[in-house]
Amino acid sequence: MDEEYDVIVLGTGLKECILSGLLSVDGLKVLHMDRNDYYGGESTSLNLIQLWKRFRGDDKPPPHLGASRDYNIDMNPKFIMANGNLVRVLIHTDVTKYLYFKAVDGSYVFNKGKVHKVPANDMEALKSPLMGLFEKRRARKFFIYVQNYNESDPKTHEGMDLTRVTTKELIAKYGLDDNTIDFIGHALALHSDDRYLAEPALDTVKRMKLYAESLARFQGGSPYIYPLYGLGELPQAFARLSAVYGGTYMLNKPECKVEFDEEGKVVGVTSEGETAKCKKVVCDPSYLPGKVRKVGRVARAIAIMSHPIPSTDDSHSVQIILPQKQLGRKSDM
């Protein structure tokens, strides 16, 4: 380990692995270390035994749950937009050859105590029980405006500059009611709170277009795709890319300490008494606790279910969004 590298990367989360992959492809000498004995850092996927060890210490998972290796449980659960930037990155870097994906069966929203399918285009809007007859017509007009909107073609703007007009003002033009605004903002544009209403409408329109494009891309019941063996596969795919181009990997390295010179510049990383020299360090926040501040928290729960979720058409994989207003909270679930 006592060598010199161009870059040392600490932590094998998705961002760190994408960077180490790209830097290796670029011809830099990269050393990549992690204090854990698995890839993925905070965004890893654990099997049952690892999950119990992490949250229950020495307890063992109950036998009726089946084989541990059949589970890949994400510590940082997310879905991937089928037409989003991450998919473009995966295709551009050719790491798709290391991954298997599955389309997610459905996207649902919680409204007035019931679970409903999210209508994603003008035709689905007409069938949706989320809205009354007249509201459906208004929503359809809004969907058509969004579908036709093209940032570089002023003819599609209907006289509105979406970099200035707020989302609230745009929606008011179509006379949509609060319930409709709720599912458009939270289940289509995927905002997690209501701040977007006072912000320029362009971002919300782009998010809605991305949703519709993603839905059309794989003709599935939702706009989302997901790695077949859990999200922990993504960092590993980029780690393989890095290794193919000469990156060096060391897992299970305790107490990786970033070393600085008198001027506060990075000079290397020490672990187990050995120091690897470098000019740059890329790391996740947990490796430099003194240089980060906490700005928020995410609360998570993991439920292992014995049946499909009711009202979701017996789907094997779904996303259900519970908008903040429906729950009397400040953020969505």
Side-chain angles (χ1 to χ4, degrees), residues 34-252:
D34 194 319
R35 64 169 79 90
N36 299 310
D37 57 358
Y38 51 78
Y39 287 96
E42 289 296 301
S43 51
T44 189
S45 304
L46 303 179
N47 63 32
L48 265 195
I49 289 168
Q50 289 169 322
L51 182 78
W52 248 255
K53 185 179 165 191
R54 184 160 186 170
F55 293 108
R56 298 276 164 88
D58 295 331
D59 281 8
K60 293 277 179 285
H64 71 265
L65 290 176
S68 169
R69 67 171 184 278
D70 291 345
Y71 289 79
N72 296 292
I73 300 162
D74 301 322
M75 293 299 98
N76 201 336
K78 284 176 168 43
F79 280 152
I80 299 165
M81 281 302 224
N83 205 36
N85 284 337
L86 181 55
V87 171
R88 290 184 188 146
V89 169
L90 296 172
I91 291 166
H92 177 76
T93 52
D94 203 25
V95 296
T96 43
K97 62 186 172 205
Y98 305 127
L99 295 161
Y100 295 96
F101 286 96
K102 188 178 184 312
V104 173
D105 293 340
S107 178
Y108 293 82
V109 63
F110 180 75
N111 185 279
K112 294 181 182 162
K114 287 192 176 143
V115 172
H116 300 278
K117 186 161 191 335
V118 176
N121 56 35
D122 52 328
M123 295 313 293
E124 283 192 4
L126 289 175
K127 296 182 199 151
S128 173
L130 281 167
M131 299 171 281
L133 187 63
F134 295 112
E135 184 67 5
K136 281 178 180 170
R137 287 185 186 164
R138 291 190 286 268
R140 183 168 180 261
K141 278 184 185 159
F142 180 59
F143 280 145
I144 289 170
Y145 169 75
V146 170
Q147 277 161 20
N148 293 338
Y149 183 86
N150 178 348
E151 211 177 338
S152 54
D153 179 3
K155 285 198 206 88
T156 64
H157 297 185
E158 293 185 12
M160 289 181 286
D161 177 1
L162 295 194
T163 59
R164 294 214 173 115
V165 174
T166 66
T167 313
K168 198 170 188 172
E169 289 163 347
L170 174 66
I171 288 171
K173 182 176 185 258
Y174 289 89
L176 302 177
D177 73 23
D178 284 355
N179 255 329
T180 310
I181 294 168
D182 216 25
F183 87 72
I184 285 174
H186 294 265
L188 290 177
L190 303 176
H191 293 290
S192 58
D193 56 35
D194 272 345
R195 281 179 302 195
Y196 73 95
L197 288 167
E199 290 166 358
L202 184 62
D203 179 46
T204 297
V205 167
K206 280 183 171 171
R207 283 164 170 252
M208 287 178 70
K209 285 179 82 69
L210 173 61
Y211 191 100
E213 288 158 8
S214 298
L215 191 69
R217 182 157 186 185
F218 293 115
Q219 308 289 317
S222 83
Y224 309 115
I225 57 171
Y226 178 81
L228 199 54
Y229 302 107
L231 287 176
E233 290 285 288
L234 292 175
Q236 284 193 56
F238 284 99
R240 282 183 188 171
L241 179 69
S242 172
V244 166
Y245 283 89
T248 305
Y249 274 77
M250 295 181 184
L251 296 182
N252 226 349

